[in-house]
């Protein structure tokens, strides 16, 4: 294992890695006190018939540039292997505007290969690599230097075992003919929009029970201000104000700092200064939105008339199909997908791509009364009607 603290050493490692068919990648970061993740460590490993190597790259060293690593990420001839890649990829996209490609996520692949719902890395290490991980360093402060031996051992294990896991899953996908399934799933991770939080859309993540357009307009303005404020200062959005306070503000519509002082849920720091001014301006802006421009909830969801019996039958069919195919249920269809189908909607992910092959085709036939469900031995099967 190498500990890399210079750009030259990183370039040399990446040059060797570029000769291999794949490289495994992981990161350690902190996000408790910032809006954007603070990258604290990058772990890399490769392996083929010519040898193997692994490295810990310290991005906190002042003079170290990650550009050699980004060049490796841009190389189309080397597969970049991650486990549960989304947060790692967000770091690289925010820092360098790139998404490593081609990409392989072992968590997604494991779900396709029948290892269960959102299977953890430790489970795959135990089942595939036949080893155990010391988890004691998982929640340590990765920004502190020097790293302890326990931290280094834990961190490097996240990429060395990943080599065995990748090779096992890749071979299994090749054998089963499901490689294209994983390729389809990588589309979301390869989409830059996955890692961009637009303040204009921040209100859509706030859970409310009110469908009033005026109320939602105030929620939209408050959420936009909070997101922009947090991004510009690189602080967590909850440090500005939390969702429950946002909903309270949209309901009470305070007009001045005295009104803000009566809030039950607003942080004390938010009752004065820049945050208080931003809150009051947002409420005024929400109240001033013309009626024609008021936001609306998804009308399809608001009026969703679910056939509960059909939804239950779809759940039984989903379990039967995924058990038969050895693939995780949640990867094929969510509860929301099933309810939408039972309400007559057809623009559903479960009815597209490889999911249609596994489940969607028979699910549509069930919805249209062309097939029913029957028990045959220990299995649930479809029967033509």
């Amino acid at each position: 294992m190498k500990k890399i603290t210079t750009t030259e050493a990183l370039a040399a490692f990446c040059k060797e890695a570029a000769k291999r068919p794949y490289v495994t990648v992981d990161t350690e970061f902190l996000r408790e006190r910032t809006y954007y993740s603070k990258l604290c460590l990058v772990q890399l490993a490769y392996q083929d018939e010519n040898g193997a190597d692994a490295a810990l790259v310290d991005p906190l060293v002042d003079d170290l540039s990650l550009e050699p690593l980004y060049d490796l990420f841009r190389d189309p001839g080397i597969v970049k292997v991650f486990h549960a890649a989304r947060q790692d990829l967000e770091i690289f996209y925010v820092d360098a505007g790139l998404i490593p490609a081609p990409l392989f996520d072992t968590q997604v692949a494991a779900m396709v290969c029948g290892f269960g719902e959102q299977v953890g890395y430790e489970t795959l290490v135990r089942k595939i690599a036949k080893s155990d991980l010391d988890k004691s360093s998982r929640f340590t402060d990765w920004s502190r230097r020097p790293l302890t031996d326990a931290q280094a051992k834990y961190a490097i294990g996240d990429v060395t075992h990943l080599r065995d896991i990748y090779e096992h899953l890749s071979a299994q996908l090749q054998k089963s003919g499901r490689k294209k399934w994983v390729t389809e799933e990588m589309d979301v991770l390869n989409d830059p929009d996955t890692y961009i939080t637009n303040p204009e859309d921040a209100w859509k993540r706030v859970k409310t029970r009110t469908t009033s357009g005026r109320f939602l307009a105030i929620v939209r303005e408050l959420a936009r201000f909070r997101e922009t404020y947090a991004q510009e200062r690189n602080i967590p959005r909850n440090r500005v104000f939390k969702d429950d306070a946002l909903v309270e503000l949209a309901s009470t519509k305070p007009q001045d700092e005295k009104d803000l002082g009566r809030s039950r849920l607003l942080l004390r720091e938010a009752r004065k200064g820049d945050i208080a001014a931003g809150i009051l301006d947002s409420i005024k802006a929400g109240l001033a939105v013309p009626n024609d421009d008021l936001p609306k909830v998804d009308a399809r969801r608001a009026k969703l008339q679910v056939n509960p019996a059909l939804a239950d039958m779809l759940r039984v069919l989903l379990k039967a199909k995924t058990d038969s195919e050895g693939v995780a249920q949640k990867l094929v269809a969510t509860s929301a997908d099933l309810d939408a189908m039972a309400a007559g909607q057809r623009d559903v992910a479960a009815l597209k791509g490889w999911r249609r092959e596994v489940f969607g085709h028979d699910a549509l036939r069930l919805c249209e009364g062309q097939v029913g469900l029957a028990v045959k031995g220990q299995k649930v099967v479809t029967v033509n009607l």
Side-chain angles (χ1 to χ4, degrees), residues 38 87 118 149 230 273 293 303 338 352 356 379:
K38 178 181 180 180
Q87 287 185 300
Q118 295 181 320
D149 290 342
D293 295 332
K303 299 177 181 178
L338 300 179
K352 301 174 183 177
R356 187 182 182 92
K379 296 181 178 181

Side-chain angles (χ1 to χ4, degrees), residues 10-237:
L10 177 59
F13 184 90
C14 290
K15 183 178 180 180
E16 287 301 311
K19 300 175 183 178
R20 273 63 182 188
Y22 70 87
V23 59
T24 56
V25 188
D26 191 39
T27 69
E28 304 299 340
F29 55 87
L30 296 178
R31 199 170 191 170
E32 290 80 5
R33 297 183 293 275
T34 57
Y35 183 92
Y36 300 105
S37 296
K38 178 181 180 180
L39 182 61
C40 299
L41 196 68
V42 181
Q43 303 99 282
L44 303 168
Y46 58 76
Q47 178 173 304
D48 69 5
E49 65 276 6
N50 298 319
D53 207 349
L56 299 179
V57 183
D58 190 348
L60 299 184
V61 176
D62 289 339
D63 296 331
L64 186 143
S65 168
L66 291 178
E67 196 55 37
L69 175 62
Y70 295 152
D71 285 340
L72 183 67
F73 283 171
R74 296 183 186 102
D75 191 328
I78 302 120
V79 177
K80 274 62 75 169
V81 181
F82 294 77
H83 181 83
R86 193 201 176 294
Q87 287 185 300
D88 300 318
L89 298 178
E90 181 182 3
I91 292 172
F92 297 128
Y93 185 78
V94 170
D95 184 60
L98 68 84
I99 300 170
L103 181 67
F104 188 98
D105 189 324
T106 56
Q107 185 178 70
V108 174
M111 294 171 73
V112 168
C113 291
F115 282 86
E117 312 287 348
Q118 295 181 320
V119 60
Y121 182 65
E122 293 85 2
T123 300
L124 295 182
V125 170
R126 186 173 65 254
K127 290 185 175 182
I128 295 176
K130 308 301 181 185
S131 186
D132 292 308
L133 290 177
D134 179 2
K135 307 180 209 174
S136 60
S137 296
R138 174 182 292 178
F139 299 112
T140 57
D141 185 349
W142 291 99
S143 67
R144 298 187 64 178
R145 295 294 184 270
L147 295 175
T148 66
D149 290 342
Q151 283 179 307
K153 181 180 178 182
Y154 170 86
I156 207 66
D158 280 349
V159 286
T160 52
H161 296 304
L162 194 54
R163 297 176 300 203
D164 296 329
I165 292 168
Y166 167 68
E167 293 187 358
H168 176 90
L169 293 176
S170 185
Q172 194 167 333
L173 290 169
Q174 191 70 36
K175 183 178 179 181
S176 65
R178 296 180 178 179
K179 202 166 185 178
K180 66 174 184 177
W181 294 13
V182 176
T183 301
E184 283 186 35
E185 293 308 296
M186 292 302 100
D187 288 346
V188 174
L189 293 176
N190 285 319
D191 185 352
D193 287 343
T194 302
Y195 313 105
I196 298 172
T197 303
N198 188 339
E200 298 293 328
D201 297 325
W203 69 279
K204 297 176 182 178
R205 295 195 310 270
V206 179
K207 294 181 180 179
T208 72
R209 296 182 179 180
T210 304
T211 58
S212 160
R214 184 62 57 192
F215 176 85
L216 292 176
I218 299 173
V219 168
R220 182 175 64 186
E221 297 302 323
L222 287 168
R224 173 165 40 199
F225 162 71
R226 180 179 65 172
E227 206 72 24
T228 301
Y229 189 94
Q231 288 179 352
E232 289 175 348
R233 291 160 179 78
N234 195 23
I235 60 174
R237 63 177 66 89

